[in-house]
Amino acid sequence: MGCSLIPGVFGIFVQAFLFFMACATLLYKKKRDPPPQRTWPVFLRDSSKQIAGAAFIHLMNLTFAEALESRFKTNADACDWYWVNIVVDCTLGVGVSWAYLKICMTVVVPLLCKSTAHEYESGNYGHEGGPVCRRYTKQILLWLGVVFCMKVTMVIVMGIGHTFWLAMASLVLHSFSQSPDLKLVVVMVITPTVFNAVQFWLQDNFLKKPQDQEVLTVVSEMRSARPSAESFQGSMQ
């Protein structure tokens, strides 16, 4: 009896658990970030891009896992392919996502949207009360496009090297082959929990505004606030 994905109520529980662990990872990382730390609105915008991307990837993983299983007639089942998808996305995929985002920001966006290219700078949403919503929408759509391109690239990589990836999956999951339920827990709970935590931690480093820019923003705000304070003191004299 093979291992199949998303068995009803268990699948819903798994998604809720993975969502909780993803949020916990990002919250812990925010706590560990050096000062000046992001404000909560900025942190929530940065994190929501990752959550949206992860949900998008999850849906694609379910689809591609079954498609790869039917494409390559081997002893591997959908769980083997789902495990491969998770491992590849959270290792090679992170580097590919970073590269695609850099290419978009340095080549594609300046060519297509030269006058508003700065609005696509990840993590830079402008000042509160400014064009925050517009910038956020552009950035999350750009990130979803990057995630889609990364996933297509990883599927090609998995297809070309399917023998290697399935051998790796067999080596790791062979001990659970006699128990489909236990294998399902390893594939859809334990593996995503560990690998997604690493993926979210790494991706947050290049999705948030760079630390040096954050420092410059704080200094600029302090300087702009100083004349106001001085003029207020002058009016009181």
Side-chain angles (χ1 to χ4, degrees), residues 23 66 83 108 179:
C23 293
E66 295 182 356
W83 184 89
V108 179
S179 176

Side-chain angles (χ1 to χ4, degrees), residues 114-129:
K114 185 176 182 179
S115 61
T116 58
H118 62 283
E119 296 187 351
Y120 290 87
E121 295 174 2
S122 190
N124 185 2
Y125 306 105
H127 297 288
E128 295 297 331

Side-chain angles (χ1 to χ4, degrees), residues 46-99:
D46 288 343
S47 300
S48 66
K49 288 189 285 189
Q50 288 224 64
I51 298 294
F56 190 31
I57 289 178
H58 174 69
L59 295 176
M60 288 190 288
N61 281 345
L62 295 175
T63 301
F64 285 128
E66 295 182 356
L68 288 167
E69 179 191 15
S70 61
R71 171 65 178 82
F72 300 102
K73 304 299 181 181
T74 64
N75 293 328
D77 56 27
C79 285
D80 293 316
W81 277 112
Y82 187 82
W83 184 89
V84 170
N85 272 270
I86 290 291
V87 172
V88 172
D89 288 347
C90 296
T91 52
L92 296 177
V94 174
V96 171
S97 295
W98 173 83

Side-chain angles (χ1 to χ4, degrees), residues 30-199:
K30 182 183 187 302
K31 184 179 179 181
R32 292 291 303 273
D33 280 345
Q37 292 188 344
R38 288 168 287 180
T39 63
W40 280 105
V42 170
F43 169 76
L44 291 174
R45 293 184 195 108
D46 288 343
S47 300
S48 66
K49 288 189 285 189
Q50 288 224 64
I51 298 294
F56 190 31
I57 289 178
H58 174 69
L59 295 176
M60 288 190 288
N61 281 345
L62 295 175
T63 301
F64 285 128
E66 295 182 356
L68 288 167
E69 179 191 15
S70 61
R71 171 65 178 82
F72 300 102
K73 304 299 181 181
T74 64
N75 293 328
D77 56 27
C79 285
D80 293 316
W81 277 112
Y82 187 82
W83 184 89
V84 170
N85 272 270
I86 290 291
V87 172
V88 172
D89 288 347
C90 296
T91 52
L92 296 177
V94 174
V96 171
S97 295
W98 173 83
Y100 282 166
L101 184 62
K102 288 296 182 182
I103 292 172
C104 286
M105 290 308 305
T106 57
V107 180
V108 179
V109 171
L111 283 176
L112 300 179
C113 314
K114 185 176 182 179
S115 61
T116 58
H118 62 283
E119 296 187 351
Y120 290 87
E121 295 174 2
S122 190
N124 185 2
Y125 306 105
H127 297 288
E128 295 297 331
V132 174
C133 184
R134 184 175 70 244
R135 290 191 178 200
Y136 171 74
T137 302
K138 290 180 177 181
Q139 291 177 31
I140 195 171
L141 291 176
L142 175 64
W143 177 242
L144 290 177
V146 166
V147 165
F148 176 78
C149 293
M150 179 277 290
K151 186 67 228 184
V152 172
T153 303
M154 293 302 97
V155 170
I156 295 173
V157 169
M158 287 184 284
I160 294 174
H162 67 277
T163 302
F164 167 78
W165 296 114
L166 289 178
M168 183 182 292
S170 177
L171 180 66
V172 174
L173 302 175
H174 177 73
S175 302
F176 314 105
S177 58
Q178 301 302 315
S179 176
D181 291 338
L182 182 57
K183 182 178 180 180
L184 191 63
V185 171
V186 172
V187 169
M188 294 201 70
V189 180
I190 297 176
T191 300
T193 298
V194 174
F195 279 85
N196 283 346
V198 175
Q199 180 188 40

Side-chain angles (χ1 to χ4, degrees), residues 203-219:
Q203 289 182 165
D204 185 65
N205 287 330
F206 59 80
L207 283 176
K208 68 177 183 178
K209 183 190 291 186
Q211 193 73 16
D212 55 345
Q213 292 185 22
E214 192 68 35
V215 172
L216 290 174
T217 299
V218 172
V219 172

